[in-house]
Amino acid sequence: MLDCIIRNGLLPGAVECVDLGISAGKFVEIAPHIVAQAEDEFNARGYLLTPPFVDPHFHMDSTLSLGTPRFNESGTLLEGIQIWAELKADLKAEVIKKRALRLLDWSIARGTLAVRTHVDVTDPTLLAVDVLLEVKEEMREWVDIQLVAFPQEGLLRSSQGKDLLVRAVEKGVDVVGGIPHFERTTSHGTESITWLCELAAQKGLQVDMHCDESDDPLSRHIEHLAYEARRTGLGAKVTGSHLTSMHSMDNYYVSKLLPLIAESEIQVICNPLINIHLQGRQDNYPKRRGLTRVPELLGAGVNVALGHDCVMDPWYPMGSHDMLEVAHMGAHCLQMLGNSQLADVFSMVTGRAAQVMQLENYGLEVGKDASFVLLQAKSVSDALRLRPARLAVFRRGLCIAETPEVKAQLHFGRNEGQVDFL
Ligand code: FE2
């Protein structure tokens, strides 16, 4: 006797529906028709069933703080950092926690069941670290959270930077972060990368750095990050986030850089919503898009994922933590709407993002966690086109969120029918 059978689900890329049998929170059978009995059955009605969405790059300490103490009028990264510094001085634990939990309600409703969040470790009290470690523990049953120790105001800009980062790691933060392009000088950026990678190697942790998040074609910290990933043996445990300067780099230099990145095995995260908004702000026309070179990185064999980065904070005023919005924006701004590219785009907010976070038991396969999202869609391209309702979100065999089907009712002329855009 199984715990549950999901009937008539359409898996990505499939034409025929399947049933999925679940026991003890795991998939135990996936077949055209399961004959075994189950305690419970759930009818997927021929809709698309996908692995949960994964957000590998987020900032949960600043989320939902939009407008406090003021709005970012210039739309630049630097004004965002300034507003965050002003806000940080007055932050209270209960406020950070309330916002984070509210955000996670949205995440789960959207089917985002794994989140890697950076947490600022340049506040001497490390208040946000303590709060988000608590949130991670409280929410463990429903969502996988990884914390990155992120020196938002620079590792080497203050005398306490290194000490605070080490203290955050000792408190239980999962990943070592960095921001080399924001250090005072390029050589300090280089020095910070070496120090952070050596710390991660010594502690057995992953690295995920904000790297070259600028329009400066000469911001080339990614080169040193790739070098250190190889030298320290960290390899795929290192991720370079943003890499927007690659958009503006000289093409000849990029032809040398891409193989270096591939050889180092580091992974890359692009954040389309945020960087299409923040980059190119000093440009007149033409304005650069400022996103890193995703199709070329994929072509070189590098694993690339997409992140949401921000929801309603000093850097970005929009969003509801919907990874299909990220994928939709990415597909357009990266010019990846080719038919064969859509599956890649979808994988960058599911499987490829899970690979960045090194999630275990992820995927629609026998033996893996029975966690999935049922979308009001019939294909992956429908999902990207419509960003449709998450009809059901399952976590380890349990339905933890539902959204009703969305249909428009027509009232004109010949037509009194319903439209679902499929
Ligand atoms: Fe970020």
Side-chain angles (χ1 to χ4, degrees):
M1 176 72 82
L2 303 178
D3 292 342
C4 182
I5 296 174
I6 311 297
R7 299 279 186 200
N8 305 312
L10 194 60
L11 301 185
V15 181
E16 303 290 334
C17 289
V18 291
D19 294 346
L20 301 97
I22 299 170
S23 264
K26 305 267 185 200
F27 290 121
V28 291
E29 187 177 356
I30 299 176
H33 180 72
I34 294 178
V35 289
Q37 300 288 302
E39 301 277 351
D40 201 7
E41 291 209 358
F42 180 92
N43 190 350
R45 293 163 286 163
Y47 283 126
L48 182 70
L49 205 140
T50 76
F53 297 109
V54 174
D55 182 2
H57 189 113
F58 195 68
H59 293 262
M60 212 178 286
D61 48 1
S62 57
T63 195
L64 302 182
S65 68
L66 181 67
T68 46
R70 61 189 172 88
F71 290 90
N72 183 338
E73 296 295 346
S74 68
T76 59
L77 173 72
L78 296 182
E79 186 175 349
I81 293 175
Q82 179 57 38
I83 293 171
W84 172 239
E86 293 164 24
L87 168 62
K88 208 163 63 171
D90 293 323
L91 270 182
K92 302 274 183 293
E94 55 275 21
V95 175
I96 304 173
K97 187 166 179 179
K98 197 172 156 197
R99 286 179 187 146
L101 291 174
R102 184 162 158 239
L103 186 278
L104 287 169
D105 287 348
W106 296 6
S107 319
I108 290 166
R110 296 297 197 192
T112 308
L113 299 188
V115 183
R116 173 181 280 183
T117 174
H118 296 253
V119 50
D120 188 352
V121 297
T122 52
D123 158 28
T125 68
L126 293 178
L127 179 70
V129 173
D130 289 331
V131 173
L132 293 187
L133 282 168
E134 215 175 284
V135 168
K136 173 184 169 174
E137 204 47 45
E138 275 180 32
M139 295 298 291
R140 181 181 291 280
E141 202 175 328
W142 302 289
V143 57
D144 295 306
I145 297 175
Q146 282 179 1
L147 298 187
V148 186
F150 174 48
Q152 172 76 76
E153 292 178 47
L155 181 77
L156 304 176
R157 280 198 177 211
S158 88
S159 55
Q160 306 174 82
K162 289 180 179 175
D163 179 49
L164 286 168
L165 202 131
V166 170
R167 276 174 47 206
V169 166
E170 282 166 357
K171 280 175 180 281
V173 166
D174 310 271
V175 181
V176 173
I179 186 165
H181 56 277
F182 193 69
E183 301 295 345
R184 283 199 176 86
T185 64
T186 298
S187 63
H188 280 186
T190 305
E191 186 185 330
S192 76
I193 292 170
T194 299
W195 188 85
L196 291 160
C197 286
E198 284 179 354
L199 175 72
Q202 187 196 335
K203 303 278 183 189
L205 298 176
Q206 296 186 62
V207 172
D208 187 341
M209 263 181 225
H210 285 64
C211 191
D212 298 327
E213 189 180 4
S214 79
D215 297 316
D216 175 3
L218 298 178
S219 183
R220 293 175 172 185
H221 293 296
I222 179 57
E223 180 186 90
H224 192 63
L225 185 62
Y227 171 78
E228 288 295 349
R230 212 168 130 76
R231 184 183 70 83
T232 56
L234 285 166
K237 290 174 84 173
V238 175
T239 298
S241 280
H242 293 288
L243 307 188
T244 55
S245 72
M246 276 184 77
H247 186 89
S248 301
M249 282 174 186
D250 172 69
N251 288 332
Y252 178 80
Y253 173 70
V254 173
S255 74
K256 177 193 172 196
L257 179 63
L258 284 171
L260 282 179
I261 295 175
E263 174 195 59
S264 72
E265 296 179 0
I266 68 174
Q267 313 197 60
V268 168
I269 296 172
C270 166
N271 298 301
L273 291 170
I274 275 46
N275 289 126
I276 201 68
H277 164 59
L278 295 178
Q279 303 315 124
R281 288 285 174 161
Q282 266 92 34
D283 291 358
N284 198 325
Y285 288 93
K287 287 176 189 281
R288 285 167 287 178
R289 299 177 189 212
L291 302 187
T292 194
R293 304 191 187 198
V294 173
E296 292 76 12
L297 284 159
L298 289 171
V302 177
N303 184 44
V304 184
L306 305 181
H308 205 302
D309 204 0
C310 305
V311 170
M312 297 178 73
D313 71 5
W315 295 274
Y316 185 64
M318 313 220 123
S320 64
H321 215 197
D322 181 354
M323 294 309 291
L324 281 176
E325 270 187 22
V326 175
H328 186 263
M329 182 65 80
H332 287 80
C333 299
L334 298 164
Q335 298 188 323
M336 292 186 70
L337 288 167
N339 199 43
S340 61
Q341 291 175 308
L342 293 176
D344 278 337
V345 172
F346 195 79
S347 75
M348 288 194 282
V349 293
T350 51
R352 286 181 175 278
Q355 195 180 324
V356 166
M357 286 183 67
Q358 303 195 337
L359 296 179
E360 290 171 0
N361 299 312
Y362 177 90
L364 301 178
E365 289 170 33
V366 169
K368 300 286 171 74
D369 281 348
S371 301
F372 60 88
V373 183
L374 185 68
L375 294 158
Q376 191 183 346
K378 298 285 183 179
S379 66
V380 161
S381 82
D382 278 348
L384 292 167
R385 178 172 63 88
L386 298 171
R387 291 147 284 149
R390 314 310 120 102
L391 300 173
V393 178
F394 274 69
R395 168 88 163 169
R396 295 177 190 146
L398 295 177
C399 181
I400 60 169
E402 287 181 281
T403 303
E405 271 180 281
V406 176
K407 291 186 179 178
Q409 180 70 47
L410 301 178
H411 307 287
F412 71 94
R414 61 179 166 75
N415 212 331
E416 282 290 329
Q418 288 189 322
V419 174
D420 61 6
F421 308 99
L422 292 171

